[in-house]
Amino acid sequence: MIKRLTIFGVGLIGGSLAMALRAAGTCHEVVGCSRSEEHLRQALERGVIDRYTLDPAEAVQGADMVVLAVPLGAMRAVCAAIRGHLAPEAALTDVGSAKGSVVEAVREGFGEMPLNFVPGHPIAGTEKSGVSAAFPGLFHGRRVILTPLETSDLGALARVRTMWEETGAVVETLSVAHHDEVLAATSHLPHLLAFGLVDSLARMGERDEIFRYAAGGFRDFTRIASSDPVMWRDICLANREAILQVMAGYQQDLGLITRAIEAQDGDALLEIFQRAKAARDEFCQ
Amino acid sequence: MIKRLTIFGVGLIGGSLAMALRAAGTCHEVVGCSRSEEHLRQALERGVIDRYTLDPAEAVQGADMVVLAVPLGAMRAVCAAIRGHLAPEAALTDVGSAKGSVVEAVREGFGEMPLNFVPGHPIAGTEKSGVSAAFPGLFHGRRVILTPLETSDLGALARVRTMWEETGAVVETLSVAHHDEVLAATSHLPHLLAFGLVDSLARMGERDEIFRYAAGGFRDFTRIASSDPVMWRDICLANREAILQVMAGYQQDLGLITRAIEAQDGDALLEIFQRAKAARDEFCQ
């Protein structure tokens, strides 16, 4: 049971977490904090939080669980603002999509690594953002990856794990570096490809016509290009090296396809397409 | 009213067309023809066709509407096989995803351009294939692009248009070249990117883990990589030039994103992502 949960950034993820824990009846009070009073008021009106404050230091007072659900670029400032105000028994976690940069930001913000900090990342979300898109079932059946540090307190780890399990999520642990490599491949790269494709088409002369004839597959394929641009800028900067590495591999692979088309090498194309279809059919049933 | 509809290739598209016209009550008899008797028997059992034959010449006898729904690579052979057997009043159309190559194949197969030939392309489909995936509502509300030739008989054009309208589709006309450019951008390129991504990830050492942590967006993004590999090999070969052109533009754009990440240029990334999100939100509501 969480007595007082403080959420920084009550958007899609932070808001859905609060709603899920309320629905599970495992959280007594939820305090929201953000730079935008409008967002907080919206969260209050939707019943997602019990109260809010714009002051980070005040927000964490008496909290036994603190969740950083702000954009990656804002993590460090929030940590600096709550430094010295966090109760020693409070568990601290985050929901950032790139863990290496969050670990660094937390260390810098606090001036040292808080022992109760357990980095986390729920593999859930939609292309929508904001508390208006939040819903209590968002994490149900989804994976949440925790990347505990060597310094992480085991009690704090257990409490963060329990919190996520109470949302219906399946909790696993990975190292920070491994998480960032895997997510670069499965999430960050696809988002860049989708943003790149839509932008590429949007800048063509006949863009209205181009989009007009887009088929059903195009809509699914580009859904993730409707994601929050600020969040994705932050992710690109935060997970730069892992993203550049998978992007380089992908561009090489795209080069193979391009050269096969140039050479009219149907066998090479068929081999690539068959391998891809088999892998997708196997893993995304 | 179509008296006898002959469909070559009774798969997802050909089968759904037959089902839609039956449901609309605007087709008296459907004859199926294919190289695979098993597929034809399946279509007969599902009630999609009234009868079938493996002999193309026999299949078109007495038909007033003939639809080529075979893979692009098989168009020419079918045309050569029905040459001299098509009734002079029969309208001939196809459903190929690349029109230039079909026009060429039809001309070569017949030894001249049949006046009653009206190239067509329904912008509809799923990642599934085969008659077992066919359903009568597939074209409802979807666009069908006809690319009539200068030589195309206007009566045949009107009959092909009416046939598609009876499936609930919205029929439009484009030139052959323009169709192929637009589809290269909105359909062919996205499929190649999805095939390329899944293949790229599948060839990574830790592929099981990679796919395990794939989020919801990944599933949507890669759905089209479950499409029929043979069909997509044919499309790549058939619309080679237009695909290479949009691929080159895309790879340049991907290079811009990559360089912005390398240079940690958040403003450039934000600009690209915002432009893409705005375009997608505008066109795919």
Side-chain angles (χ1 to χ4, degrees):
Chain A
M1 189 75 182
I2 297 168
K3 278 181 291 187
R4 183 175 292 165
L5 169 70
T6 299
I7 297 183
F8 286 91
V10 191
L12 172 65
I13 301 293
S16 295
L17 173 60
M19 293 170 92
L21 293 176
R22 276 181 185 289
T26 57
C27 178
H28 185 67
E29 186 189 20
V30 183
V31 179
C33 185
S34 158
R35 280 184 303 189
S36 158
E37 185 159 10
E38 194 193 322
H39 291 167
L40 290 168
R41 208 176 292 135
Q42 229 183 318
L44 192 65
E45 280 165 15
R46 282 203 71 192
V48 173
I49 55 176
D50 294 297
R51 58 184 178 85
Y52 69 78
T53 166
L54 296 171
D55 175 8
E58 192 191 318
V60 297
Q61 268 180 16
D64 51 344
M65 178 67 73
V66 175
V67 178
L68 307 173
V70 296
L72 292 170
M75 293 282 182
R76 182 180 161 173
V78 172
C79 291
I82 61 177
R83 176 180 180 176
H85 300 280
L86 210 58
E89 70 277 12
L92 176 68
T93 187
D94 76 296
V95 301
S97 305
K99 304 315 317 162
S101 78
V102 174
V103 170
E104 201 47 46
V106 170
R107 193 196 318 271
E108 286 175 10
F110 281 94
E112 61 180 353
M113 185 56 72
L115 302 183
N116 284 344
F117 175 51
V118 181
H121 179 208
I123 311 293
T126 72
E127 76 279 13
K128 302 198 180 71
S129 51
V131 73
S132 60
F135 62 101
L138 178 61
F139 308 108
H140 196 87
R142 300 305 184 88
R143 288 177 204 277
V144 170
I145 304 177
L146 301 182
T147 63
L149 310 173
E150 284 193 12
T151 53
S152 294
D153 177 79
L154 291 181
L157 171 59
R159 284 156 62 207
V160 172
R161 174 188 284 274
T162 300
M163 175 182 76
W164 282 113
E165 285 172 348
E166 283 164 349
T167 68
V170 179
V171 179
E172 309 201 10
T173 56
L174 285 184
S175 74
V176 167
H178 198 173
H179 168 279
D180 286 359
E181 285 162 23
V182 170
L183 269 288
T186 56
S187 171
H188 308 169
L189 178 61
H191 277 80
L192 294 182
L193 302 185
F195 277 127
L197 177 69
V198 175
D199 186 46
S200 193
L201 302 195
R203 291 195 289 135
M204 286 182 178
E206 32 183 14
R207 57 174 252 172
D208 285 23
E209 191 161 40
I210 290 281
F211 285 104
R212 181 172 180 192
Y213 292 111
F218 184 81
R219 186 177 290 258
D220 277 352
F221 185 77
T222 59
R223 177 160 295 119
I224 53 181
S226 286
S227 303
D228 179 15
V230 171
M231 178 176 134
W232 282 96
R233 175 202 60 192
D234 284 4
I235 290 173
C236 287
L237 300 177
N239 201 21
R240 184 171 162 267
E241 282 173 36
I243 291 174
L244 287 174
Q245 199 177 328
V246 292
M247 178 68 98
Y250 180 71
Q251 278 171 316
Q252 268 189 351
D253 288 349
L254 220 50
L256 290 180
I257 294 178
T258 306
R259 279 192 294 282
I261 296 175
E262 278 168 353
Q264 307 189 45
D265 185 347
D267 291 342
L269 292 169
L270 190 60
E271 192 186 322
I272 294 168
F273 299 166
Q274 282 174 334
R275 205 163 45 203
K277 177 179 169 57
R280 187 182 185 281
D281 288 350
E282 181 184 348
F283 290 103
C284 301
Q285 283 161 352
Chain B
M1 189 72 182
I2 298 169
K3 277 182 292 186
R4 182 176 293 167
L5 169 70
T6 299
I7 298 183
F8 286 92
V10 192
L12 172 64
I13 300 293
S16 295
L17 173 59
M19 292 170 95
L21 293 176
R22 277 180 185 290
T26 57
C27 178
H28 185 67
E29 187 188 18
V30 182
V31 180
C33 186
S34 158
R35 280 184 303 189
S36 158
E37 186 160 11
E38 194 194 321
H39 291 167
L40 290 168
R41 209 176 292 136
Q42 229 183 318
L44 191 65
E45 279 164 15
R46 282 203 71 191
V48 173
I49 55 176
D50 294 296
R51 59 185 177 85
Y52 69 78
T53 166
L54 297 170
D55 176 8
E58 192 192 316
V60 298
Q61 268 180 17
D64 51 344
M65 177 67 74
V66 176
V67 178
L68 307 172
V70 296
L72 293 170
M75 294 281 183
R76 181 179 162 176
V78 172
C79 290
I82 61 177
R83 175 179 181 179
H85 301 278
L86 211 57
E89 71 276 13
L92 177 67
T93 188
D94 76 298
V95 301
S97 305
K99 305 315 315 164
S101 79
V102 174
V103 169
E104 201 47 46
V106 170
R107 193 198 317 270
E108 286 174 10
F110 281 95
E112 61 180 353
M113 185 54 74
L115 302 182
N116 285 343
F117 176 52
V118 181
H121 179 208
I123 311 292
T126 71
E127 75 280 12
K128 303 199 179 73
S129 51
V131 73
S132 59
F135 62 100
L138 178 61
F139 309 109
H140 196 87
R142 300 305 185 88
R143 289 177 204 276
V144 170
I145 304 176
L146 301 182
T147 62
L149 310 172
E150 284 194 10
T151 53
S152 292
D153 177 79
L154 292 181
L157 171 58
R159 283 157 60 209
V160 172
R161 174 187 285 274
T162 299
M163 175 183 76
W164 283 113
E165 285 172 349
E166 283 163 350
T167 69
V170 179
V171 179
E172 309 200 9
T173 57
L174 284 184
S175 73
V176 167
H178 197 171
H179 168 279
D180 286 358
E181 284 163 23
V182 169
L183 268 287
T186 56
S187 171
H188 308 170
L189 179 60
H191 276 81
L192 294 182
L193 303 185
F195 277 127
L197 176 69
V198 176
D199 186 45
S200 193
L201 301 195
R203 290 194 291 133
M204 286 182 178
E206 31 184 15
R207 57 174 253 172
D208 284 23
E209 190 159 41
I210 290 281
F211 285 104
R212 181 171 181 193
Y213 293 111
F218 184 81
R219 188 177 288 259
D220 277 353
F221 185 77
T222 58
R223 178 161 294 120
I224 53 180
S226 286
S227 302
D228 180 16
V230 171
M231 178 176 135
W232 282 96
R233 175 202 60 193
D234 284 4
I235 290 173
C236 287
L237 299 176
N239 201 22
R240 184 170 162 269
E241 283 174 34
I243 290 174
L244 287 174
Q245 199 176 327
V246 292
M247 178 68 98
Y250 179 71
Q251 278 170 314
Q252 269 189 349
D253 289 349
L254 220 50
L256 289 180
I257 293 178
T258 306
R259 278 192 294 284
I261 296 175
E262 278 168 354
Q264 306 189 46
D265 186 346
D267 292 342
L269 291 170
L270 189 59
E271 192 187 321
I272 294 169
F273 298 166
Q274 282 174 334
R275 206 163 45 203
K277 177 178 168 57
R280 187 180 185 282
D281 288 349
E282 181 184 348
F283 289 104
C284 299
Q285 284 161 352

